[in-house]
């Protein structure tokens, strides 16, 4: 019975969401991609690997339901299942929170691999939220993963760090790395004050999997603790497309230009007046 | 206004800065090391021909062999030769 179950889930995929630089949208991306996959009926486990600075629980709106965490699992204080929080809004979506009162050294890459191997038996997708930086937290997060989503914004600092991360992922044997460009502002791109998605892809030279427009709805969604993937907002639609591309589907890129140019034109009229 | 003066856009400035920044990041090579490589190359070439070591230049750029998306950096050296046939060292 047990064996049959594990064979059934053989094709589970372990994806790490990483960026190098902090504050570019790793946690938001993890929450939205994970929730989006669950909305499509997949069994998804999100793991917050940022020990000491956990955030995924608040972005998901599950912060009040934490009993056990990743460090408890690793140290054997509870079973893996006990640390998983089920998201009641989406069947099949679970979160393994990180510990807030410990530090990165509480978990080793080997231990992460073990936890992930265990979870692979039950889930289609395991999505890891990687901490910023390139130290042990990063090593822990990538240890059990076989695919990476590299998040960056169209800024020099974020792109530089993303390049470094891509180099490190390559050195760690990653074959599948895909780029998400977050907080793109088409109005700025058009007047030559922001690098376009194509510019960033040319520099980083890995396949693009998503372009997320700068959208205030992301802040609102985070305030409410509910990922906006699939909503009618520009970022919600963009994330829904990322989810489809993660599953290997070809989806054309949205043209944010139209909507935004309309609003900038309107706001431009008011600014002049 | 910007269009009239044809000032470089901040996007272009960012791209130019990143291009140089990432090359040195990827190669992980400090200017001191580059200087050492340069003097060593000059030393070796000088064995065979007379060169103008003062005006020689070396640089690492991305127009090299295929790497990640065809962006593997490569080392380029531009060495002015004063006299090709010179130097009895060749014998």
């Amino acid at each position: 019975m047990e064996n049959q179950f594990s064979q059934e889930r053989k094709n589970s995929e372990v994806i790490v969401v990483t960026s190098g630089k902090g504050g570019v949208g790793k946690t938001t991306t993890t929450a939205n991609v994970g929730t989006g996959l669950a909305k499509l009926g997949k069994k998804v486990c999100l793991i917050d690997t940022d020990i000491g600075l956990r955030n995924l629980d608040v972005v998901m709106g599950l912060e009040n339901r934490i009993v056990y965490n990743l460090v408890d699992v690793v140290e054997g204080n509870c079973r893996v299942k006990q640390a998983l929080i089920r998201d009641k809004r989406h069947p099949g979506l679970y979160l393994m929170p990180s510990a807030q009162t410990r530090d990165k050294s509480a978990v080793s890459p080997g231990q992460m691999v073990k936890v992930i191997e265990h979870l692979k038996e039950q889930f289609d997708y395991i999505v890891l939220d990687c901490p910023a930086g390139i130290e042990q937290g990063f090593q822990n997060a990538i240890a059990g993963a076989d695919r990476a989503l590299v998040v960056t914004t169209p800024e020099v600092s974020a792109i530089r760090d993303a390049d470094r991360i891509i180099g490190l992922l390559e050195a760690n044997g990653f074959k599948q790395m895909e780029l998400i460009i977050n907080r793109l502002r088409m109005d700025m791109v058009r007047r030559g004050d922001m690098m376009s998605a194509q510019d960033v892809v040319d520099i980083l030279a890995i396949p693009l999997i998503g372009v997320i427009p700068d959208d205030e709805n992301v802040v609102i969604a985070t305030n409410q603790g509910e990922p906006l993937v699939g909503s009618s907002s520009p970022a919600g639609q963009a994330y829904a497309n990322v989810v489809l591309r993660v599953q290997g589907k070809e989806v054309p890129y949205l043209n944010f230009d139209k909507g935004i140019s309309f609003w900038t034109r309107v706001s431009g009229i008011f600014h002049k007046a | 206004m910007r269009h009239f003066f044809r000032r470089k856009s901040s996007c272009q400035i960012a791209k130019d800065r990143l291009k140089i920044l990432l090359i040195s990041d990827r190669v992980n090579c400090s200017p001191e090391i580059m200087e050492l490589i340069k003097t060593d190359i000059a030393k070796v070439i000088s064995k065979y021909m007379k060169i103008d070591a003062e005006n020689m230049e070396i640089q690492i750029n991305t127009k090299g062999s295929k790497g990640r998306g065809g962006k593997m950096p490569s080392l380029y050296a531009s060495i002015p030769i004063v006299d090709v046939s010179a130097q009895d060292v060749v014998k």
Side-chain angles (χ1 to χ4, degrees):
Chain A
M1 188 66 186
E2 183 75 36
N3 197 12
Q4 193 190 353
F5 189 64
S6 62
Q7 270 182 351
E8 207 181 345
R9 298 287 182 196
K10 220 176 173 180
N11 295 326
S12 60
E13 196 161 21
V14 186
I15 304 170
V16 59
V17 180
T18 182
S19 71
K21 189 176 177 297
V24 297
K26 285 181 296 296
T27 304
T28 308
T29 299
T30 308
N32 279 290
V33 169
T35 306
L37 287 165
K39 279 186 171 179
L40 295 174
K42 301 290 174 192
K43 273 204 89 179
V44 182
C45 179
L46 306 177
I47 307 180
D48 191 345
T49 64
D50 200 345
I51 300 165
L53 286 171
R54 70 174 172 215
N55 277 321
L56 187 55
D57 52 336
V58 272
V59 174
M60 294 294 297
L62 299 171
E63 69 272 21
N64 293 327
R65 299 191 30 220
I66 298 176
V67 182
Y68 294 109
N69 59 51
L70 178 63
V71 176
D72 289 322
V73 172
V74 164
E75 293 183 343
N77 299 333
C78 70
R79 281 174 289 122
V80 173
K81 214 177 167 187
Q82 287 177 292
L84 291 175
I85 304 168
R86 193 173 70 87
D87 190 326
K88 289 170 185 159
R89 295 160 298 189
H90 310 283
L93 182 59
Y94 291 79
L95 168 71
M96 182 176 290
S98 159
Q100 183 70 343
T101 53
R102 303 292 294 270
D103 69 87
K104 291 171 167 74
S105 59
V107 176
S108 74
Q111 291 168 321
M112 277 304 299
V113 172
K114 256 191 207 161
V115 174
I116 289 168
E117 284 306 318
H118 188 100
L119 290 168
K120 266 184 175 176
E121 291 171 13
Q122 303 158 52
F123 292 97
D124 298 316
Y125 287 94
I126 297 163
V127 188
L128 298 131
D129 184 18
C130 180
I134 52 173
E135 296 89 22
Q136 196 186 339
F138 169 74
Q139 296 297 340
N140 286 341
I142 67 167
D146 33 46
R147 181 177 183 182
L149 300 183
V150 180
V151 184
T152 188
T153 59
E155 286 156 56
V156 179
S157 50
I159 293 170
R160 182 193 200 179
D161 289 1
D163 189 75
R164 186 106 165 78
I165 285 294
I166 292 166
L168 288 170
L169 290 170
E170 271 178 343
N172 279 279
F174 272 75
K175 298 270 184 302
Q176 200 173 6
M177 297 175 281
E178 289 139 313
L179 185 67
I180 292 184
I181 300 168
N182 198 11
R183 291 206 206 112
L184 191 76
R185 283 184 54 181
M186 275 317 293
D187 56 326
M188 289 187 73
V189 172
R190 228 176 309 107
R191 58 172 197 259
D193 278 333
M194 185 178 268
M195 279 177 268
S196 69
Q198 191 56 53
D199 290 335
V200 181
V201 172
D202 287 346
I203 292 167
L204 292 175
I206 62 168
L208 183 69
I209 198 167
V211 180
I212 317 296
D214 191 29
D215 183 353
E216 59 183 31
N217 289 298
V218 173
V219 179
I220 297 169
T222 307
N223 289 344
Q224 294 168 335
E226 181 146 22
L228 50 54
V229 59
S231 75
S232 58
S233 62
Q237 287 177 43
Y239 271 123
N241 286 348
V242 172
V243 170
L244 293 173
R245 292 188 199 107
V246 165
Q247 294 179 294
K249 298 191 174 92
E250 293 241 353
V251 187
Y253 282 87
L254 296 168
N255 183 9
F256 312 112
D257 213 358
K258 276 180 192 160
I260 293 169
S261 73
F262 171 73
W263 284 112
T264 38
R265 231 177 286 147
V266 173
S267 66
I269 292 166
F270 287 115
H271 281 298
K272 270 173 207 159
Chain B
M1 282 298 260
R2 205 189 331 238
H3 298 292
F4 294 109
F5 291 108
R6 284 185 169 260
R7 212 176 64 189
K8 224 181 190 184
S9 70
S10 70
C11 163
Q12 194 56 51
I13 295 170
K15 280 195 278 183
D16 293 345
R17 289 176 62 210
L18 269 169
K19 222 176 270 174
I20 295 168
L21 188 62
L22 294 191
I23 290 164
S24 51
D25 276 5
R26 283 174 192 171
V27 177
N28 197 12
C29 192
S30 66
E32 293 85 56
I33 303 267
M34 289 294 280
E35 203 49 46
L36 289 175
I37 294 172
K38 192 173 146 181
T39 46
D40 276 4
I41 291 175
K43 223 181 278 173
V44 173
I45 306 290
S46 306
K47 275 189 190 172
Y48 303 100
M49 52 187 75
K50 200 172 179 199
I51 59 165
D52 179 6
E54 287 290 301
N55 289 313
M56 108 176 233
E57 267 177 32
I58 65 164
Q59 61 177 30
I60 291 166
N61 66 22
T62 51
K63 281 179 217 148
S65 48
K66 296 267 170 182
R68 184 212 314 165
K71 288 216 161 186
M72 182 88 96
S74 52
L75 181 74
Y76 278 76
S78 155
I79 310 166
I81 301 168
V82 178
D83 191 350
V84 194
S85 59
Q87 305 297 311
D88 44 2
V89 197
V90 184
K91 289 178 216 161

